[in-house]
Amino acid sequence: KRSEELCRKMHQVAGLHTQIFPKFISFLYWNRKLDYKNDPNIEFKLSTNLSSELEKYINVYKELQPGRSLHLCKDQGIVDLELNFKDGRVIKCEATLEQCTTIEQFHTSDDHKCVKLTLEDISSRLAIQPERAQTILKFWIDRDVLYKSGDFYRSIDDREAD
């Protein structure tokens, strides 16, 4: 209840994305390892878009809760996505922040541009091990969002360009 109330107050601040609903859990009540940033099983590089949006929330939290700080637990974040495809298909799904950041790598504002990335590209962009990147890419392949052609992963929208 307190988390929802704080979220409502934060959304009254101009410039915050109203589709983001943070949950606030105190480290006092949640047995959580504080040094997760050095854990290779948790740490990854967020996309620039997601990172800048979440940074806004961190700054507003500091204003609303003086003396307190907000820490993102990347391995706990969930995103509700609605993916729209050229053929009119819409896929709604729940994804982790890591899965969301991965699929964002394939987004382009140019409808005529095909994005094709290798496993190494994704691994490098997210700063994660290739095995971990492969698991995430499989998540999107299994949902018919991405496909693999040779060494490249591409959006299902680009299949006809192959």
Side-chain angles (χ1 to χ4, degrees):
K1 182 168 168 106
R2 174 108 169 93
S3 185
E4 291 173 10
E5 183 182 314
L6 184 55
C7 183
R8 265 194 304 278
K9 284 182 183 177
M10 292 178 87
H11 283 155
Q12 292 172 358
V13 175
L16 287 184
H17 197 295
T18 58
Q19 293 288 308
I20 295 176
F21 300 98
K23 303 289 184 218
F24 306 98
I25 303 171
S26 171
F27 280 108
L28 296 173
Y29 296 102
W30 190 14
N31 186 13
R32 176 106 177 119
K33 186 169 84 171
L34 294 177
D35 189 23
Y36 64 90
K37 290 187 178 184
N38 294 320
D39 187 335
N41 296 316
I42 295 174
E43 185 55 28
F44 65 95
K45 185 177 177 186
L46 282 171
S47 68
T48 305
N49 287 343
L50 197 49
S51 185
S52 66
E53 285 300 322
L54 294 173
E55 190 65 33
K56 291 176 191 175
Y57 276 85
I58 289 170
N59 292 333
V60 170
Y61 183 86
K62 287 178 187 174
E63 290 175 24
L64 294 176
Q65 301 287 318
R68 293 188 175 179
S69 61
L70 185 62
H71 299 279
L72 174 65
C73 296
K74 291 181 185 178
D75 62 319
Q76 298 298 312
I78 298 292
V79 180
D80 288 322
L81 292 175
E82 184 174 298
L83 304 172
N84 298 289
F85 296 87
K86 292 176 188 172
D87 64 3
R89 276 185 319 131
V90 175
I91 294 179
K92 294 180 181 183
C93 67
E94 203 173 77
T96 65
L97 289 174
E98 191 173 45
Q99 292 162 339
C100 180
T101 295
T102 300
I103 203 62
E104 276 188 296
Q105 304 304 308
F106 293 90
H107 176 74
T108 178
S109 56
D110 182 353
D111 282 342
H112 303 292
K113 184 179 178 186
C114 297
V115 177
K116 55 183 187 177
L117 300 168
T118 64
L119 177 63
E120 293 75 22
D121 293 333
I122 294 295
S123 179
S124 174
R125 288 180 181 198
L126 271 69
I128 59 174
Q129 294 296 317
E131 297 81 16
R132 195 166 147 201
Q134 193 165 30
T135 300
I136 300 165
L137 290 164
K138 182 178 178 337
F139 172 86
W140 291 114
I141 289 170
D142 290 348
R143 280 150 187 79
D144 206 25
V145 173
L146 296 179
Y147 74 100
K148 187 175 181 186
S149 175
D151 288 338
F152 293 98
Y153 293 87
R154 301 171 74 171
S155 167
I156 206 76
D157 272 344
D158 300 334
R159 184 165 273 174
E160 62 197 41
D162 247 1

